């Protein structure tokens, strides 16, 4: 591998947190006690934590300084106005409603913009997003391009919406029965795949033709902008901020989990241009989150978010962030490990179907693979397959996604390349004895979002 392609960390380490490595026997007991669910392992028992990049970021010295400037007034916090000005400038939307995290924004949007029986087309589902859509009577329809469901196909912009699929949905059900188009940038469940600016522009044109609103899931919009700059013609000389601003010009609003590209540990927001929707959202945020000027966040968190959002637009930061993920992916590919290709912006996804060909999907191969990776190495990852997909709310039958994966999710500004080497070595060692990985069955299955708290036992 050409190591010149991977820049050193564009930061200096100022504080450290000590971690420990348990013995294999200790980890065997820990994973059994956790019901083979990596979400139920205590943080202190994890060596390298790749469970998620949500809220696990390291904040900068300027963000920590901003924490000390928190205005904790119940109404009219000056930190809200700083956040509002920042989002309006960088994203270009007229209104912002702060929430405690991204799913708070999803809850508000789903309540104000979905009528029971309406369809919500999107470029592949995300767990909490689809839950809120279905809970409010919406019917999710996947309109992502077919290539996104093929783990081995290495093509750019696998997150694009298939315009023909979207057109068919409109023709079959009528534009009035489309609540809105939910366009994720990037597409988490497809492996962190980006959406091209060309596709956003085309989706916007089609939606305008029928008067349908578009709301972005903007959670990893900065990562998406990096891929556009790197891979799409005409954007190499654009700044990340310029690309992000153009991206959102093709949307009517967005939901945002600030716990990712805003480089903070908590928080989110809902954006929109429509005045009437804004008034409805403000009414609901009071009921579910808090005053419209804090919405579930402390003033200090809003200040850190405003600062972090600007920091995330710095090219040196986002280049290192994406290429560190790619470094892990390239190491695994060279060792013959089956992963989703191309490598996305926030995680490397192990292809559990090819990693564990001896297990069928109903034996939860991705869930078992994640559990066994922890047993092998103390590295915590998470399942993204049939368990995450859940059940059809009408039939009660399992959804069967084509992608059955384990997500190795890299927190921002937390780990070094050497940590990535350790993770790669652990995966390779496990792959050599993959035939020993046993299937799982449910011991406890929650009715909603089961992957968070379900428990399993080995078959």
């Amino acid at each position: 591998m050409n190591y010149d392609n991977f820049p050193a960390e564009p930061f200096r380490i100022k504080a450290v947190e000590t971690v420990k490595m348990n013995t294999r026997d200790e980890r065997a007991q820990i994973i059994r006690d956790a019901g083979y669910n990596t979400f139920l392992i205590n943080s202190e028992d994890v060596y390298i934590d790749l469970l998620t990049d949500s809220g696990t970021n390291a904040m900068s010295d300027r963000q920590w300084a901003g924490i000390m400037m928190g205005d904790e007034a119940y109404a009219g916090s000056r930190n809200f106005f700083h956040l509002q000005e920042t989002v309006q400038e960088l994203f270009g939307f007229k209104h912002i409603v702060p929430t405690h995290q991204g799913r708070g924004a999803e809850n508000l949007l789903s309540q104000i913009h979905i009528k029971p029986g309406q369809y919500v087309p999107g470029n592949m589902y995300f767990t909490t997003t689809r839950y809120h859509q279905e809970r409010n009577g919406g019917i999710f329809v996947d309109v992502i391009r077919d290539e996104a469901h093929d783990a081995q196909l290495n093509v750019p912009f696998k997150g694009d919406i298939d315009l023909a699929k979207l057109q068919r949905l409109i023709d079959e059900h009528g534009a009035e029965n489309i609540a809105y188009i939910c366009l994720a940038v990037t597409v988490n469940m497809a492996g962190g795949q980006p959406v091209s600016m060309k596709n956003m522009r085309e989706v916007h044109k089609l939606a305008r033709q029928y008067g349908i609103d578009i709301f972005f899931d903007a959670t990893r919009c900065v990562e998406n902008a990096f891929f556009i700059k790197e891979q799409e013609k005409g954007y190499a000389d654009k700044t990340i901020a310029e690309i992000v601003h153009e991206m959102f010009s093709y949307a009517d609003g967005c939901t945002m989990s600030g716990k990712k590209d805003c480089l903070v540990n908590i928080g989110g927001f809902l954006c929109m241009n429509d005045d009437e929707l804004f008034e409805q959202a403000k009414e609901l945020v009071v009921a579910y989150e808090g005053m419209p000027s804090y919405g579930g966040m402390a003033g200090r968190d809003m200040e850190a978010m405003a600062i972090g959002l600007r920091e995330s637009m710095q090219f040196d930061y986002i280049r290192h962030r994406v290429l560190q993920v790619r470094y892990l992916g390239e190491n695994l590919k060279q060792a013959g490990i089956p992963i989703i290709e191309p490598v996305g912006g926030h995680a490397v996804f192990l292809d559990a179907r090819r990693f564990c060909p001896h297990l069928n999907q109903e034996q939860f191969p991705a869930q078992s693979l994640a559990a066994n990776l922890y047993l092998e190495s103390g590295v915590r990852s998470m399942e993204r397959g049939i368990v995450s997909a859940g059940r059809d709310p009408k039939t009660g039958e399992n959804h069967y996604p084509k992608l059955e994966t384990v997500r190795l999710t890299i927190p921002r500004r937390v780990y070094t390349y050497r940590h990535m080497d350790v993770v790669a070595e652990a995966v390779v060692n496990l792959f050599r004895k993959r035939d020993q990985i046993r299937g799982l069955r449910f011991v406890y299955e929650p009715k909603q979002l089961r992957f968070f708290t379900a428990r399993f036992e080995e078959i």
Side-chain angles (χ1 to χ4, degrees):
M1 179 161 53
N2 184 359
Y3 290 94
D4 293 335
N5 294 333
F6 302 100
E9 286 77 10
F11 51 81
R12 288 190 292 262
I13 297 169
K14 263 186 175 177
V16 296
E17 176 187 357
T18 302
V19 295
K20 68 177 182 179
M21 169 66 92
N22 292 314
T23 68
R24 184 183 179 87
D25 287 343
E26 288 171 334
R27 293 196 300 273
Q29 186 61 50
I30 289 166
I31 195 63
R32 281 195 298 270
D33 291 344
Y36 297 90
N37 186 345
T38 53
F39 276 96
L40 303 181
I41 300 172
N42 292 336
S43 174
E44 65 180 4
D45 292 322
V46 175
Y47 180 49
I48 299 177
D49 201 344
L50 307 187
L51 183 73
T52 181
D53 63 330
S54 180
T56 57
N57 312 295
M59 293 202 300
S60 71
D61 52 355
R62 288 170 175 80
Q63 286 178 290
W64 282 110
I67 288 283
M68 300 307 296
M69 298 172 61
D71 175 5
E72 307 308 337
Y74 189 79
S77 167
R78 65 173 175 269
N79 308 120
F80 166 72
F81 295 113
H82 184 199
L83 177 61
Q84 177 179 251
E85 291 164 5
T86 302
V87 173
Q88 287 173 336
E89 176 189 338
L90 296 176
F91 286 15
F93 294 118
K94 185 177 180 181
H95 302 298
I96 172 176
V97 180
T99 58
H100 73 284
Q101 60 180 32
R103 70 193 63 169
E106 293 169 348
N107 177 40
L108 298 181
L109 178 61
S110 297
Q111 290 201 47
I112 64 179
H113 215 312
I114 296 176
K115 297 175 183 176
Q118 284 187 318
Y119 294 85
V120 188
N123 51 343
M124 200 173 284
Y125 84 98
F126 184 66
T127 51
T128 60
T129 312
R130 188 175 69 186
Y131 168 75
H132 286 296
Q133 290 168 350
E134 292 177 345
R135 184 173 180 269
N136 286 280
I139 304 167
F140 170 77
V141 180
D142 188 1
V143 292
I144 202 168
R145 58 190 292 193
D146 288 341
E147 292 88 343
H149 296 282
D150 186 341
Q152 300 181 66
L153 193 60
N154 192 334
V155 296
F157 299 112
K158 285 171 77 173
D160 283 358
I161 281 179
D162 186 320
L163 294 173
K165 291 181 182 178
L166 182 57
Q167 183 68 64
R168 282 197 299 271
L169 184 69
I170 296 170
D171 292 342
E172 290 175 10
H173 300 287
E176 69 279 5
N177 290 313
I178 307 295
Y180 60 89
I181 298 167
C182 181
L183 195 156
V185 286
T186 57
V187 184
N188 188 349
M189 304 299 281
Q193 304 300 329
V195 180
S196 67
M197 193 75 82
K198 178 176 181 289
N199 188 249
M200 295 180 212
R201 197 178 299 120
E202 291 172 339
V203 171
H204 178 262
K205 181 179 179 181
L206 181 61
R208 283 294 169 266
Q209 180 182 340
Y210 291 98
I212 301 171
D213 283 349
I214 304 171
F215 277 81
F216 282 13
D217 177 347
T219 297
R220 297 180 179 88
C221 59
V222 181
E223 293 171 12
N224 201 103
F226 176 84
F227 285 111
I228 290 174
K229 181 177 176 68
E230 181 188 53
Q231 300 176 20
E232 192 163 357
K233 185 178 179 180
Y235 289 92
D237 295 328
K238 298 282 188 181
T239 67
I240 296 297
E242 287 171 335
I243 295 170
V244 167
H245 200 276
E246 182 181 344
M247 285 166 56
F248 288 122
S249 72
Y250 303 121
D252 297 285
C254 74
T255 59
M256 182 71 173
S257 171
K259 298 164 69 176
K260 285 84 168 177
D261 273 351
C262 292
L263 301 176
V264 290
N265 307 122
I266 198 67
F269 52 81
L270 171 65
C271 287
M272 65 202 61
N273 291 322
D274 186 272
D275 295 339
E276 184 178 343
L277 284 176
F278 177 53
E279 292 302 322
Q280 293 179 52
K282 283 199 299 182
E283 292 178 10
L284 276 181
V285 78
V286 173
Y288 286 99
E289 304 272 342
M291 283 289 288
S293 58
Y294 73 88
M297 279 189 284
R300 56 182 174 267
D301 295 322
M302 290 188 286
E303 187 67 21
M305 182 181 288
I307 296 168
L309 190 54
R310 288 193 184 278
E311 290 183 351
S312 73
M313 303 282 174
Q314 297 168 359
F315 179 71
D316 286 343
Y317 153 74
I318 190 59
R319 177 170 176 257
H320 170 267
R321 192 282 186 282
V322 173
L323 294 185
Q324 186 185 50
V325 177
R326 193 174 294 170
Y327 174 85
L328 174 58
E330 290 298 323
N331 271 327
L332 293 175
K333 280 175 59 178
Q334 288 195 5
I337 306 299
I339 63 173
I340 288 186
E341 297 186 54
V343 175
H346 71 292
V348 177
F349 287 67
L350 305 178
D351 186 350
R353 288 182 185 274
R354 288 182 288 155
F355 204 110
C356 303
H358 58 291
L359 301 179
N360 64 52
Q361 199 167 17
E362 291 188 346
Q363 293 173 313
F364 310 138
Q367 187 74 40
S368 186
L369 175 53
N372 277 272
L373 180 59
Y374 173 77
L375 174 64
E376 177 70 23
S377 62
V379 173
R380 174 157 66 170
S381 59
M382 72 169 294
E383 182 268 1
R384 277 300 185 222
I386 186 173
V387 177
S388 290
R391 296 182 182 273
D392 186 294
K394 291 184 178 179
T395 66
E397 295 297 318
N398 280 316
H399 290 297
Y400 289 91
K402 293 181 180 179
L403 295 176
E404 181 76 18
T405 66
V406 168
R407 192 180 75 183
L408 306 171
T409 332
I410 315 303
R412 295 162 184 81
R413 304 191 295 203
V414 171
Y415 293 118
T416 66
Y417 285 111
R418 180 55 188 142
H419 286 103
M420 299 303 101
D421 291 337
V422 171
V423 173
E425 291 166 8
V427 173
V428 170
N429 289 338
L430 182 59
F431 188 66
R432 290 174 180 148
K433 49 188 176 185
R434 59 192 180 276
D435 58 331
Q436 298 176 24
I437 297 175
R438 298 165 61 184
L440 301 173
R441 57 178 164 236
F442 278 115
V443 173
Y444 163 67
E445 180 184 359
K447 292 181 180 179
Q448 309 292 347
L449 299 173
R450 61 190 185 182
F451 63 95
F452 282 124
T453 57
R455 289 181 171 274
F456 306 85
E457 65 182 6
E458 286 190 325
I459 297 173

